[in-house]
Amino acid sequence: MERGMILLVAALMIYVSPGVQGTAHLSFVNTTVNITRHGCGVTKLCVETPNDCDPAGNTSCLFGSVVSTTPVAPNGANLSIQLRGDSNGYVALGLTVNASEGTTMLFICGQNSSDNGTFFFRTMQRNNTDDMLTATERRVTEIRGMVEGSVIKCEFDVPGVNASNTRTSHVTTFSILLGTGSFDGNVVGRFNATLNSGPLNLANPASNIQTTLAPTTNTTMGNNSGAVQPHAVLLLLSVLTLSVMLRA
Ligand SMILES: *[C@@H]1O[C@H](CO)[C@@H](O)[C@H](O)[C@H]1NC(C)=O
Ligand SMILES: *[C@@H]1O[C@H](CO)[C@@H](O)[C@H](O)[C@H]1NC(C)=O
Ligand SMILES: *[C@@H]1O[C@H](CO)[C@@H](O)[C@H](O)[C@H]1NC(C)=O
Ligand SMILES: *[C@@H]1O[C@H](CO)[C@@H](O)[C@H](O)[C@H]1NC(C)=O
Ligand SMILES: *[C@@H]1O[C@H](CO)[C@@H](O)[C@H](O)[C@H]1NC(C)=O
Ligand SMILES: *[C@@H]1O[C@H](CO)[C@@H](O)[C@H](O)[C@H]1NC(C)=O
Ligand SMILES: *[C@@H]1O[C@H](CO)[C@@H](O)[C@H](O)[C@H]1NC(C)=O
Ligand SMILES: *[C@@H]1O[C@H](CO)[C@@H](O)[C@H](O)[C@H]1NC(C)=O
Ligand SMILES: *[C@@H]1O[C@H](CO)[C@@H](O)[C@H](O)[C@H]1NC(C)=O
Ligand SMILES: *[C@@H]1O[C@H](CO)[C@@H](O)[C@H](O)[C@H]1NC(C)=O
């Protein structure tokens, strides 16, 4: 059973006032959303749980990727986001400057159990102190999503992101949160964050690989050799892991 749809929206203003669920001017066309690890660490910043899980496979994998344009003042950066996870409610990707204070911009992709599991998209703001979700206005474009059983996949663009708008922080430095929650056809349940990346520069696809490898290499990231070498090291590490496993 496969249900897919594409929301062809040139510029969709997602706005949901409390109690009123709905967005206007959406057109639906069947589509598939393909989300893979291709380009992770090189062209896109990837986070996932469990580690290195495959978003294209059929085992449980909560996966998010972000591609950021170079920020240009005063408009900030444009983000292209992919999200894949397992839920009978919703999966969400959050961007926050500090996950223990302030707020999180939450991008929600879900299935509507009151509507045969139809895909829906929603933006919310989470208060990081008390976990309350409130409807929020945030421009999101090019929303594509599909639901296959409990697997939810979606892609969307978020223009004009600037972390400095809310706090003293580098423009593209955010912690990425991944998590899930319930949706009963009406109410978006509490966001249960299962991954917090810690502060990452979204404009650097390798910004989370560098920290992983910090103890074993002092390669400078950001140039081409730096972007390629970590994979060689990762491969080496996995071969080592494999040989350790074979010995065990
Ligand atoms: C997704 O992958 C399937 C199978 O590999 C392919 O048929 C389809 O065209 C792809 N869709 C997109 C939008 O790339
Ligand atoms: C999905 O999992 C089933 C068994 O769990 C396996 O037979 C099937 O080949 C898998 N499909 C893909 C696309 O990985
Ligand atoms: C980000 O926002 C700050 C404060 O509003 C502003 O000074 C800065 O120019 C913005 N940067 C970009 C790249 O848009
Ligand atoms: C970001 O998107 C806006 C339209 O939403 C576009 O005008 C702008 O040129 C884009 N910026 C970059 C750096 O691509
Ligand atoms: C995040 O906020 C907490 C609580 O306000 C603070 O203790 C911590 O230093 C902040 N972390 C960062 C990286 O700013
Ligand atoms: C759900 O699907 C069933 C069978 O395809 C259909 O009969 C029913 O009307 C659908 N319900 C809704 C709310 O779309
Ligand atoms: C978040 O919740 C706390 C505690 O309820 C409240 O004091 C604070 O004003 C809220 N922050 C925002 C931005 O709504
Ligand atoms: C979920 O489905 C119900 C019943 O069709 C509908 O009233 C509601 O607006 C839908 N919610 C969303 C977010 O699509
Ligand atoms: C949050 O998610 C974790 C891992 O998926 C799960 O073990 C836990 O029960 C969830 N908590 C709530 C309140 O849903
Ligand atoms: C690390 O940096 C030191 C000093 O900059 C250099 O001598 C050394 O060769 C580097 N090691 C590696 C593995 O690149």
Side-chain angles (χ1 to χ4, degrees):
M1 185 171 59
E2 175 175 323
R3 290 178 302 270
M5 69 186 63
I6 183 164
L7 309 184
L8 293 170
V9 197
L12 166 67
M13 184 74 86
I14 303 281
Y15 178 71
V16 190
S17 58
V20 181
Q21 314 281 337
T23 48
H25 314 303
L26 307 182
S27 50
F28 300 89
V29 179
N30 280 336
T31 190
T32 43
V33 176
N34 294 331
I35 299 179
T36 67
R37 297 195 63 89
H38 186 73
C40 280
V42 181
T43 58
K44 64 187 186 187
L45 174 62
C46 299
V47 293
E48 75 283 311
T49 179
N51 268 345
D52 292 327
C53 65
D54 180 11
N58 61 8
T59 55
S60 173
C61 180
L62 184 53
F63 173 92
S65 77
V66 179
V67 176
S68 171
T69 62
T70 304
V72 179
N75 296 321
N78 295 345
L79 308 181
S80 293
I81 295 178
Q82 296 181 315
L83 174 61
R84 183 268 190 220
D86 310 76
S87 176
N88 293 315
Y90 71 84
V91 297
L93 183 146
L95 296 178
T96 184
V97 171
N98 182 337
S100 51
E101 62 175 32
T103 59
T104 299
M105 271 189 274
L106 208 55
F107 303 97
I108 290 176
C109 293
Q111 56 174 314
N112 189 345
S113 55
S114 307
D115 193 13
N116 279 347
T118 308
F119 174 81
F120 72 93
F121 182 87
R122 181 68 51 90
T123 60
M124 300 285 259
Q125 176 173 284
R126 182 182 76 148
N127 181 329
N128 291 339
T129 311
D130 64 7
D131 276 356
M132 288 291 288
L133 298 179
T134 47
T136 186
E137 197 175 342
R138 156 65 60 178
R139 196 160 151 253
V140 179
T141 64
E142 305 291 329
I143 301 164
R144 299 171 296 278
M146 68 181 285
V147 177
E148 223 175 332
S150 64
V151 177
I152 302 170
K153 299 179 191 178
C154 61
E155 302 177 300
F156 49 91
D157 294 346
V158 187
V161 173
N162 181 351
S164 315
N165 283 337
T166 48
R167 229 148 275 264
T168 318
S169 170
H170 180 260
V171 175
T172 53
T173 298
F174 286 96
S175 293
I176 303 175
L177 309 182
L178 293 180
T180 56
S182 63
F183 183 73
D184 68 359
N186 250 314
V187 178
V188 175
R190 208 177 67 84
F191 174 61
N192 182 8
T194 43
L195 177 137
N196 176 358
S197 72
L200 294 175
N201 178 3
L202 303 186
N204 175 7
S207 57
N208 57 345
I209 294 176
Q210 187 183 19
T211 50
T212 309
L213 296 175
T216 54
T217 179
N218 55 2
T219 308
T220 313
M221 303 304 295
N223 56 28
N224 279 340
S225 61
V228 171
Q229 192 172 340
H231 293 281
V233 178
L234 278 178
L235 189 61
L236 183 61
L237 284 176
S238 61
V239 170
L240 284 175
T241 311
L242 187 62
S243 65
V244 170
M245 284 169 60
L246 289 175
R247 279 157 190 268

